[in-house]
Each structure stands twice: as C-alpha cells, then as structure tokens.
Amino acid sequence: MTDPHSRPTTGLNIGSHDLPVSPELSRFMASDWAASPLPETDRVPAHALTPARRARLSARFPGERLIVRAGELRARTHDCDHRFRPDTAYAWLTGLTGEDQVGHVLVMEPSGPHGHEAVLYLRPRSSREDGTEEFYRDRRYGEFWVGRRPDLAEAERLSGIRCAHLDSLDSPSGREAATDADLGAALSELRLVKDAWEVGQLQLAVDHTVTGFEDVVRDLPRALAHPRGERWIEGVFNRRARAEGNGTGYDTIAASGAHACVLHWIRNDGRLRGDELLLLDAGVETDSLYTADITRTLPLSGRFSPVQRQVYELVLAAQDAGMAALRTGASFRDFHRAGMRVIAEGLAEWGVLKHAEGDLHRRYTLCSSGHMLGLDVHDCAQARADAYLDGILEEGQVLTVEPGLYLQPDDETLPPELRGIGVRIEDDLVITAEGARLMSGALPRTVAGIEEWMGNLLEG
C-alpha cells in the first residue's frame, strides 16, 4: 500500500532552494492541528446586492454560458508576484475582493429559458490531514505562506453562491468577460449607475483620501528637505491608503514644478522647491475596491505667486463651469465643453491664443476633463459610446471633473513666466435629482481656502 505521505509534490510552487521533505516530517506536519473554522457570521459586505447584479447580467444573455475570471498572479521578478487585485467585474458580481481570489472563476450556467445559476469555482483550503503538503510548502497558495483560504462551505456562506472545486472546471466554453466585447461592454454599462451602498463606499474612499492630503501637507517640511521630495509625498499618502483601505486606487502622482505638465507623472523622483507648485493626484481604494480620485495643486511655500494664482484661477473657473453643467438629462460631454470654453476664452484674454474658437486650446489641456468613477478609477471604460461618452447623465452616476492646464517648459508659444506651470483641480461628484453633490468638498479649492488650509495644518 502506498504511503499517502510520500506522494509527489507535482504542481506545488516550491522554492528552488527548499530541501526535500522526509516521510517523517510529512507525517508530523499532517497531525495535531486544532480546528480553526471561520466565524459563521462572516459575509462579504455586498452579499445582499450581488444576486440582483447577476440577475441583471443574466437578463442580457439568456441561454448563454457566461464566464468571469478573477485573474491570475503576475510575476514581478523571478518568484515574486505583484500584489493581486481581483478583476473588477468578478468583484462586482461576487462581492469577493480579497487577495485569496487568485485563479477563481465565476460561471453563470443557463438555467431554464431565461435565467442562470451562478457557480463559483475556487481553490478551497487544503486539508492538513490527508497528506497534502500545499498548506506549508506551496509558496504561492499555501496557507502558511499567504494566509487562510475558506473551505467550500465557508466560501458558500461568505458569498451566497454555490461553490465547487476549481479542479472540477474542465475547459469551460462560453462568453468570457476578458475576451468577449459584448459581455465586457454589458458589465461596464451595468455599473454606470451606482446604488446607495456603492455611493457610500465611494464617499468613504473620498474621506480617507482627504485625510491623506492633510497628512501630506503636514509633512511638507520634511519632504522639502529630502532630495527626492516627490517620493516622500508619495510615501506619506500611500501609508494612509494602506492603513485605511486596500491601498491606492492607482499610482500616486506627486509632480512638482514642470513635472506637473506630465499628465501621468509617477516617477516621483524630483526634489521639491519652495517657490514651485505641487500637483498631487491620489486616491484611496477601500477594502471593497471602490476608489476616490482627487487632485489638488498646492503652492509649496503655502502661498501662490501672482502668476501661479493667475493659472490656478483660470482652471478653477473652468472646473466651476463644468460642475455647474452636471445634471440628470445632460450629455456626459457637456461638462467638458463648458470647462473648455472657459479655458479657451482665458487663453485668448492672455494673448496665448488669437481667439477662443476652434480646438487650439487643446495644446495646453491635452485630455478630457473627467470620467466615471467606481471600482476602477476610469470606471466602466468598456461601455459603448452611446451609453457613456455620448450618453446622458443619470442619477446615481459618480464621476470626476478635472480640468487642467499644462504649460510645457519648452513651449515657445507661451511667455516665459508661464512656462513650466501645470495645474489640475479634480473632484468627485455624484449625480442627484437636484444636480450633483460634491463628495470631496472637505478639501478646499479656492486660492484663499487652500492657503488658509495649508497654513492651519503647517502651524498645527
């Protein structure tokens, strides 16, 4: 009879320097473990909402098998993986948002003429008593290496979805969210309008982000003294994001001086100078994976210079115009058009442009002025144009308004005093029956408000 403790370790992710396990050690590791079930009261926070979400998806694809994968680990270097975050559609449909979802698959099996039955295929907790060595030897999935996984019964209780072992899923065929454009579009469009719970999660993300911005201002003296002050700023904000939530919803942009003219500056390796501006674009992602997205452009001295104020107040006027255009029934693009009219007119008044007509202002603005916000920072991006970019705003949608001016340091169409100044102001808003509610209003936006806010934090 074969000793179960001498079974091969094929399939285990074992380190290249690990010593072989003797039969004696294998038997020893398999014995004398106390039961450690998860609390029976545990449920994923969105468990009451996910059945309706799956039903809405089911109605779009009657009779078709639908496959939504959580995703796989990606190697960062050799045997070190990037931190795992489940696929957004998977998280929305299941409510499962943890790093233990690697490789799991939600399959919606056709059931009856119109409906579906959801089955979650997962890698359950491995037994410690049947000779399986995964729990202490597998560096990618073993419990002693990466933490506890639920067993099948626990997973069903957590999610409210019927669960099966991942090994029982054989080459599934059907529409896959990762490869089927229609399914991907549907999953984006179904998320365009947020329910009250989702808006609450987004508000929580915003509130933690506000605290992170306060942390940054309080720590500006240390950042100014550091040779890579942008990195210091990034670290201060990211500490708050990890302490209060899952982390940041996207790579933090801490851009000082002319770096602020680079829209996605994430190198963050520059020194801070007291006479320059800092553009900080950052957002905390909650444990439920909803993210904020806020930008403030701050004078590192605590006071705007006259030319910095000139640029800032034009961008602020553009943002005010954009926010005023937000209402149910308005075109999604209306707020961008409203803000860009203000920018173009301002550039013409400065003499940078000969007139405000046309699109020449885009040399200095580069991109659109906002986007949907939710589980992804650029949420619902696979939605069809007529449902999103060319669509109509609805109550419950959450979006950003973020006009900017990026006056490149080598742009000879600009007077020298304007070159190298980048300003973006970004806030998060939810569309309501009355217009739009500013979710990030706890952070000041006006010149006077920012200067007072910074002064109070630095003095404190």
Side-chain angles (χ1 to χ4, degrees), residues 292-370:
D293 183 6
I294 299 175
T295 306
R296 288 293 182 268
T297 306
L298 309 174
L300 286 166
S301 67
R303 308 283 295 184
F304 289 90
S305 72
V307 70
Q308 290 168 350
R309 180 176 185 139
Q310 173 189 345
V311 177
Y312 186 92
E313 290 193 329
L314 178 56
V315 176
L316 179 63
Q319 192 193 36
D320 286 340
M323 288 181 179
L326 296 176
R327 64 180 64 88
T328 57
S331 166
F332 172 80
R333 296 187 190 271
D334 282 352
F335 75 91
H336 171 68
R337 296 188 184 106
M340 290 304 98
R341 276 196 300 273
V342 172
I343 291 286
E345 290 168 1
L347 291 172
E349 289 177 9
W350 294 354
V352 171
L353 294 177
K354 293 181 180 179
H355 52 74
E357 289 72 37
D359 64 354
L360 297 186
H361 64 276
R362 292 176 64 183
R363 177 179 177 124
Y364 313 102
T365 60
L366 298 176
C367 67
S368 184
S369 300

Side-chain angles (χ1 to χ4, degrees), residues 6-27:
S6 66
R7 66 179 58 184
T9 57
T10 302
L12 294 183
N13 295 276
I14 297 172
S16 59
H17 295 102
D18 283 7
L19 294 171
V21 171
S22 67
E24 292 79 12
L25 176 58
S26 182
R27 284 191 289 271

Side-chain angles (χ1 to χ4, degrees), residues 181-457:
D182 290 338
L183 180 54
L187 285 163
S188 278
E189 291 163 14
L190 289 170
R191 300 200 324 272
L192 279 166
V193 175
K194 273 61 179 178
D195 59 38
W197 182 82
E198 290 179 294
V199 173
Q201 289 299 297
L202 285 162
Q203 186 64 63
L204 180 63
V206 166
D207 294 345
H208 289 320
T209 300
V210 168
T211 304
F213 273 71
E214 293 170 349
D215 292 342
V216 164
V217 173
R218 289 190 186 96
D219 228 34
L220 277 179
R222 297 177 73 183
L224 283 159
H226 197 278
R228 291 203 288 185
E230 290 177 345
R231 290 272 170 96
W232 193 276
I233 295 297
E234 176 187 0
V236 169
F237 184 85
N238 291 8
R239 177 184 62 194
R240 176 63 64 178
R242 283 293 284 168
E244 305 293 356
N246 188 53
T248 56
Y250 53 94
D251 287 330
T252 297
I253 298 170
S256 63
H259 290 165
C261 300
V262 181
L263 273 75
H264 290 166
W265 177 261
I266 59 172
R267 298 180 201 172
N268 300 342
D269 59 358
R271 180 182 283 277
L272 306 184
R273 288 178 44 180
D275 61 346
E276 293 182 331
L277 298 173
L278 169 72
L279 188 156
L280 178 61
D281 185 336
V284 172
E285 180 181 82
T286 63
D287 291 330
S288 59
L289 305 187
Y290 290 84
T291 185
D293 183 6
I294 299 175
T295 306
R296 288 293 182 268
T297 306
L298 309 174
L300 286 166
S301 67
R303 308 283 295 184
F304 289 90
S305 72
V307 70
Q308 290 168 350
R309 180 176 185 139
Q310 173 189 345
V311 177
Y312 186 92
E313 290 193 329
L314 178 56
V315 176
L316 179 63
Q319 192 193 36
D320 286 340
M323 288 181 179
L326 296 176
R327 64 180 64 88
T328 57
S331 166
F332 172 80
R333 296 187 190 271
D334 282 352
F335 75 91
H336 171 68
R337 296 188 184 106
M340 290 304 98
R341 276 196 300 273
V342 172
I343 291 286
E345 290 168 1
L347 291 172
E349 289 177 9
W350 294 354
V352 171
L353 294 177
K354 293 181 180 179
H355 52 74
E357 289 72 37
D359 64 354
L360 297 186
H361 64 276
R362 292 176 64 183
R363 177 179 177 124
Y364 313 102
T365 60
L366 298 176
C367 67
S368 184
S369 300
H371 51 82
M372 292 296 179
L373 186 67
L375 283 165
D376 289 333
V377 64
H378 298 138
D379 206 31
C380 309
Q382 291 180 271
R384 295 167 297 180
D386 60 355
Y388 179 179
L389 297 177
D390 297 323
I392 301 301
L393 293 178
E394 299 181 49
E395 184 175 355
Q397 291 180 335
V398 179
L399 70 163
T400 71
V401 177
E402 51 169 321
L405 271 175
Y406 311 100
L407 309 177
Q408 303 297 332
D410 55 351
D411 190 340
E412 293 185 341
T413 69
L414 298 167
E417 66 271 15
L418 289 177
R419 297 176 194 172
I421 295 178
V423 172
R424 179 163 64 250
I425 312 169
E426 180 178 21
D427 284 275
D428 304 340
L429 300 98
V430 57
I431 304 298
T432 67
E434 294 76 31
R437 176 172 65 84
L438 181 60
M439 303 174 75
S440 47
L443 279 178
R445 298 188 301 123
T446 66
V447 166
I450 285 174
E451 290 180 345
E452 180 182 9
W453 172 73
M454 291 183 68
N456 290 339
L457 289 171

